[in-house]
Amino acid sequence: ALVVGKDVRQQQSLDEAMIKADGTPNKGRFGANAILAVSLAASRAAALSRKIPLYAWIRECFSLNYSDWLLPAPMFNVINGGKHADSGLDVQEFMVVPTGAATFAEALRCGAEIYQTLKKDLAAMNMVTAVGDEGGFAPHLKDHAQALDVLKKAVEKAGAAGSTRLAIDAASSEFFKDGAYAFEKKARTAAQMAAIYADWVKRFGVVSLEDPLAENDWAGWKTLTEMLGSSARLVGDDLFVTNPQRLARGIKEGVANSILIKLNQIGTLSETVQTVLEAHKAGYTSIISHRSGETEDAYISDLAVALNAG
């Protein structure tokens, strides 16, 4: 009965009503997924009733006055480690990003060709080419530098060296134990991890590092941002959890320079858009992210285009 009779075109009002009725700070009564399903369904219904694409409706609904439409550069997760695979690598994801592609179609083709080239290269190294739970390969390589080297060579062999960069999602909270980072079988400080990442940026052209340090290692993050903030994208996922309060702290303390956006971390379309706008206002970039094991629903594509996330 809470949403019966509400106008789906009044997105903020609908989302606020659900948040208020839930009454908990983290949507613990109804659950963020239940609230989000209604929130997103309403926006789809509104776009259909207006007979315009979803991305155009989101922009109109939130009065977003961008002068152009920016199609995003896709990030292809092609080597899996961490909790997503049994490769023995601590870092959870190694990605290729066709930042120099002229069109989205060209970027998609480029990513697919690198993926197939990588598969052949790993097979030639007698590596198993079964995939991890996000579709990337899970080879047993000597160390992370070898993984980046293999990936860089696959990019070159696919003829994409000039247009494609490498990226990682370390998911480092997973290997942060007792105040240290258990990385490549050694306990390391935040400063030592920062030095390793700086080497990867320099040697392999890594352009984006997601969750390179643990979610509550604010001091380590600040040091890392001072060291690499001008040369790489430092993305907070576990650090910010699409939460405006955590983002505000990051902005105030000069921590990270980019935020990963997951609709279900915050629980409504309105709050998601608000978080992205706050990030962009502060000069942070945003990455609209999928979730492991999700459906084929392509809502995030429209969201990325609507918000010019890039």
Side-chain angles (χ1 to χ4, degrees):
L2 171 63
V3 295
V4 172
K6 286 210 174 288
D7 187 336
V8 290
R9 293 167 300 180
Q10 304 296 319
Q11 185 75 44
Q12 290 96 322
S13 168
L14 178 74
D15 288 345
E16 280 163 19
M18 289 190 287
I19 292 165
K20 191 175 173 189
D22 176 85
T24 68
N26 65 351
K27 301 179 180 64
R29 187 172 163 215
F30 297 148
N33 284 337
I35 293 173
L36 183 66
V38 175
S39 181
L40 299 192
S43 65
R44 280 207 184 277
L48 286 167
S49 75
R50 287 276 287 106
K51 295 184 172 61
I52 59 175
L54 178 59
Y55 60 82
W57 166 247
I58 293 171
R59 197 170 275 198
E60 183 184 306
C61 173
F62 293 97
S63 306
L64 305 174
N65 301 314
Y66 299 109
S67 60
D68 58 357
W69 296 95
L70 179 65
L71 283 175
M75 301 178 77
F76 298 90
N77 174 10
V78 293
I79 295 179
N80 295 173
K83 289 278 195 300
H84 287 181
D86 65 352
S87 62
L89 297 167
D90 303 307
V91 163
Q92 187 167 273
E93 297 174 11
F94 295 81
M95 293 169 268
V96 290
V97 194
T99 53
T103 63
F104 188 88
E106 180 69 15
L108 184 59
R109 181 187 64 78
C110 180
E113 288 180 357
I114 293 166
Y115 183 78
Q116 295 301 333
T117 303
L118 177 64
K119 184 175 185 176
K120 286 187 187 120
D121 289 353
L122 292 172
M125 295 165 68
N126 295 318
M127 295 282 172
V128 174
T129 52
V131 296
D133 79 355
E134 291 200 329
F137 302 111
H140 285 265
L141 298 165
K142 187 180 61 168
D143 54 23
H144 295 80
Q146 188 188 17
L148 289 162
D149 189 53
V150 165
L151 196 46
K152 190 179 179 194
K153 282 174 178 156
V155 169
E156 288 163 1
K157 204 181 280 188
S163 63
T164 303
R165 304 290 296 276
L166 306 187
I168 65 155
D169 172 10
S172 62
S173 294
E174 301 287 354
F175 57 83
F176 185 67
K177 307 266 187 316
D178 305 319
Y181 295 89
F183 183 78
E184 293 184 349
K185 298 184 171 59
K186 286 184 188 167
R188 301 175 197 263
T189 64
Q192 287 169 328
M193 289 305 299
I196 290 166
Y197 295 135
D199 178 57
W200 293 355
V201 169
K202 191 176 172 185
R203 267 205 295 165
F204 304 107
V206 172
V207 72
S208 176
L209 301 120
E210 181 186 329
D211 284 342
L213 296 175
E215 61 198 62
N216 290 312
D217 187 3
W218 291 88
W221 266 96
K222 180 146 181 70
T223 302
L224 182 71
T225 307
E226 285 165 359
M227 185 189 289
L228 287 178
S230 60
S231 56
R233 184 172 292 187
L234 304 174
V235 189
D237 173 17
D238 295 340
L239 178 72
F240 292 139
V241 289
T242 317
N243 184 300
Q245 283 80 39
R246 285 186 72 97
L247 174 64
R249 178 177 174 183
I251 292 165
K252 187 180 172 192
E253 295 183 19
V255 161
N257 57 22
S258 184
I259 180 171
L260 202 79
I261 297 294
K262 290 174 176 168
L263 288 148
N264 73 311
Q265 281 181 330
I266 191 69
T268 64
L269 176 60
S270 298
E271 290 167 293
T272 304
V273 170
Q274 177 208 337
T275 306
V276 172
L277 295 180
E278 288 296 322
H280 290 182
K281 193 167 122 191
Y284 281 50
T285 57
S286 61
I287 298 173
I288 312 299
S289 175
H290 80 119
R291 304 307 319 270
S292 301
E294 67 182 11
T295 69
E296 291 300 305
D297 182 272
Y299 195 102
I300 62 166
S301 304
D302 287 86
L303 186 66
V305 171
L307 293 167
N308 267 15

